[in-house]
Amino acid sequence: MENNAVNSYLFTSEVVSPGHPDKCADIIADSIVDALLMQDSKSRIASEVFVAGKHVIIGGEVTTKANVSVEDYKNIAINALKKIGYNGNEYFTKEECLHPEDVQVQVLLNRQSPDINQGVDQEGGETGAGDQGIMFGYADCETPDFMPSAITYARMLADKVYEYALSHPNELGVDIKTQVTMDYITKENFDNANPQKIHTIVVSAPCVASMDIVTVRNLIKGLIDTTGLPKELYNPNECIIHINPTGKYVSHSSLHDSGLTGRKLIVDSFGGYAPIGGGAQSSKDYTKVDRSGLYAARYIAKNIVAAGLAKKAVVQISYAIGVAKPVSITVNTNHTAIDGISDEKLSQFVMDNFPLTPNWITKKFDLDAPSSDTFLYADVAAHGQVGRSSYPWEKLDSVDIFKKLL
C-alpha cells in the first residue's frame, strides 16, 4: 500500500509581549538599572521584582551614588507600567485590567555585600566577574539577523499585535502571547538551519468585553497576514492558526496572573534552539556576567556565522566570581563548520583574540552608559536580550577577524 504521509520535523518557540506580567517585572527592574546607571555608571544592582494583583515588590541589593529615594523607585515602577500600556485604559474595567492609580509599590532594597564587591572592583581598575556561572550565545543562518526562525517570527507577530493594541486600546489589551512552529521536513534540514515552512501560529490577545470572538479572530488574522512573514515560508491557506483558542479573553494583566523577573529566559534568548546558562539578565548591572556574558557569547557566535565559518554556532563562556578572565570558552558548530574549520580551532581562536573580561565587554558595548540615544536596558527587557540589530552586542564588526581563519 502506498504511503502518502508527508514528513514533518517541527520546532516551536514562544514570545510574550511587554504587557505580560513576567515582562512587566523585567521591564520595571531594568528601568531601575537604567535610572541608576545614568546617574552613577559604577552602580551595582541586583534587584528582583514581583508583580501580583495591584502590588509591585522591589527587592534585592543596590550600591550606588545615585540620588534615588523610595518614592523615586515607586515612580519608576508606575511609569514603566504606564509606558507598557497599563495607563488607565478606559475600555477595560479595574477588575479586568491593572490601572496605574491602583498600583501599590513596596521597596525592599539592601546594599550589595562588601565580600562580593571586593572581588568585583579590583585595584588597578580591573573588574572581576560579579558571580560564577555559565553563559551561552547562539547564532544560525536561518534569518538575516542570524537568529533562529521560530522565535524571530514569533517576535514579529508579538510586535505587530502589541503595537496594534497600543494604538487601538478600544479593541485589544497589551498582555499578549505568540507562538510559531517551524517545519523543517527532515532532521537534516533542522541540523543545517534550513526551515521549510511555518507550520502553526498561535496568538492570544485580550479584547474588550464588547467584542465577540469572531471579530477578534478576524482582526488578529488580518494582523498575522500583514506582519511581513516570509512568503516562501508562510502560506496563509495552509498554515494552522490558533487565535485565542480557549475563546474570548478579556481579564488580563497582573490582576489575573502574577509576574516575576527572570521567568522568561527562553523568550529572552534563542527560543529553545540553544542551551541557556540559567541566569537572568534583567535587574542586573553589567558586572554581572549573567548579563554581559550572554551579550559577549551572542556577539562571538553571530560573527562566526556571519563570517561564513559555520551555519550554526553555540558559544559557552564560564566565569569564576572575582576573576576577570573567563574560566573556559567553547565553540560548538554542531557539525556545520566549513572544511578546514574545527570547533577546537574556533575555540582557541576566540580565546586568543577576544579578552572577554567584564571590562572588555563593558567597553566594547558601552554597557555602563545606557541612554535613549544608544540603548536602554528597559527596552532590551521588553523586546528580547538578543537578536535586535540595534543592540551594540549585535554588531558584525569582527567578521573580518574571523575570516582570517579561512
Side-chain angles (χ1 to χ4, degrees), residues 197-199 235-241:
K197 66 178 180 178
I198 297 175
H199 182 277
N235 184 334
N237 298 317
E238 294 182 1
C239 182
I240 300 167
I241 298 176

Side-chain angles (χ1 to χ4, degrees), residues 107-399:
V107 181
L108 305 170
L109 291 172
N110 303 304
R111 289 182 64 83
Q112 178 176 286
S113 166
D115 296 334
I116 295 175
N117 195 60
Q118 68 181 349
V120 175
D121 297 315
Q122 301 174 358
E123 292 183 12
E126 188 55 84
T127 301
D131 201 352
Q132 71 175 50
I134 58 174
M135 299 84 219
F136 288 92
Y138 177 76
D140 63 33
C141 60
E142 291 190 3
T143 65
D145 274 331
F146 300 96
M147 283 287 286
S149 54
I151 190 169
T152 296
Y153 305 137
R155 283 181 176 176
M156 289 171 63
L157 290 166
D159 289 347
K160 181 75 172 184
V161 181
Y162 175 65
E163 291 301 324
Y164 186 90
L166 287 178
S167 58
H168 297 81
N170 59 317
E171 294 181 288
L172 300 182
V174 295
D175 186 355
I176 298 156
K177 289 179 116 177
T178 61
Q179 187 171 287
V180 169
T181 300
M182 300 302 300
D183 191 350
Y184 292 82
I185 307 298
T186 66
K187 176 65 161 55
E188 183 181 6
N189 282 331
F190 177 80
D191 290 342
N192 286 285
N194 186 23
Q196 299 297 298
K197 66 178 180 178
I198 297 175
H199 182 277
T200 303
I201 289 171
V202 183
V203 177
S204 294
C207 68
V208 297
S210 59
M211 292 181 74
D212 64 82
I213 187 61
V214 174
T215 302
V216 174
R217 286 174 175 161
N218 288 335
L219 167 63
I220 294 176
K221 176 60 166 61
L223 294 175
I224 293 171
D225 289 342
T226 56
T227 293
L229 300 173
K231 293 180 180 179
E232 67 273 17
L233 297 175
Y234 174 60
N235 184 334
N237 298 317
E238 294 182 1
C239 182
I240 300 167
I241 298 176
H242 299 291
I243 298 170
N244 288 18
T246 61
K248 196 162 83 167
Y249 159 38
V250 177
S251 298
H252 63 288
S253 78
S254 60
L255 296 183
H256 305 279
D257 179 19
S258 62
L260 186 66
T261 43
R263 207 156 58 178
K264 287 291 176 281
L265 301 184
I266 297 294
V267 170
D268 274 342
S269 56
F270 307 103
Y273 280 81
I276 60 171
Q281 289 73 54
S282 290
S283 82
K284 299 171 182 175
D285 70 80
Y286 53 87
T287 66
K288 312 298 189 292
V289 284
D290 283 329
R291 185 191 282 281
S292 54
L294 169 72
Y295 298 163
R298 161 63 179 171
Y299 171 78
I300 296 296
K302 184 176 182 180
N303 277 267
I304 287 171
V305 176
L309 302 183
K311 294 178 181 178
K312 291 182 175 182
V314 178
V315 176
Q316 188 208 56
I317 308 175
S318 70
Y319 291 91
I321 188 168
V323 179
K325 290 285 289 184
V327 172
S328 67
I329 300 167
T330 307
V331 179
N332 178 6
T333 61
N334 291 288
H335 308 290
T336 67
I338 62 174
D339 290 342
I341 301 295
S342 67
D343 291 349
E344 295 90 343
K345 181 183 289 188
L346 278 170
S347 300
Q348 188 63 50
F349 186 82
V350 173
M351 282 192 276
D352 292 342
N353 289 274
F354 298 89
L356 296 175
T357 63
N359 271 4
W360 183 88
I361 300 169
T362 299
K363 184 176 180 181
K364 176 71 177 174
F365 306 131
D366 292 323
L367 298 186
D368 58 348
S371 73
S372 56
D373 293 329
T374 54
F375 74 94
L376 292 171
Y377 286 115
D379 291 340
V380 174
H383 298 293
Q385 297 289 330
V386 293
R388 303 269 175 172
S389 58
S390 59
Y391 298 166
W393 47 94
E394 294 290 326
K395 292 177 182 176
L396 293 174
D397 55 0
S398 287
V399 167

Side-chain angles (χ1 to χ4, degrees), residues 30-89:
D30 274 346
S31 296
I32 292 170
V33 173
D34 286 329
L36 297 181
L37 289 179
M38 284 192 280
Q39 284 195 47
D40 174 14
S41 65
K42 295 188 180 298
S43 295
R44 299 291 180 257
I45 310 143
S47 64
E48 304 296 344
V49 175
F50 177 42
V51 184
K54 300 174 183 178
H55 298 270
V56 175
I57 300 174
I58 303 169
E61 296 78 50
V62 168
T63 301
T64 183
K65 294 179 181 178
N67 184 21
V68 181
S69 66
V70 169
E71 198 62 30
D72 290 332
Y73 284 116
K74 292 180 178 179
N75 289 332
I76 289 169
I78 292 171
N79 288 334
L81 289 169
K82 288 180 179 178
K83 184 178 178 181
I84 288 166
Y86 294 115
N87 50 14
N89 186 347

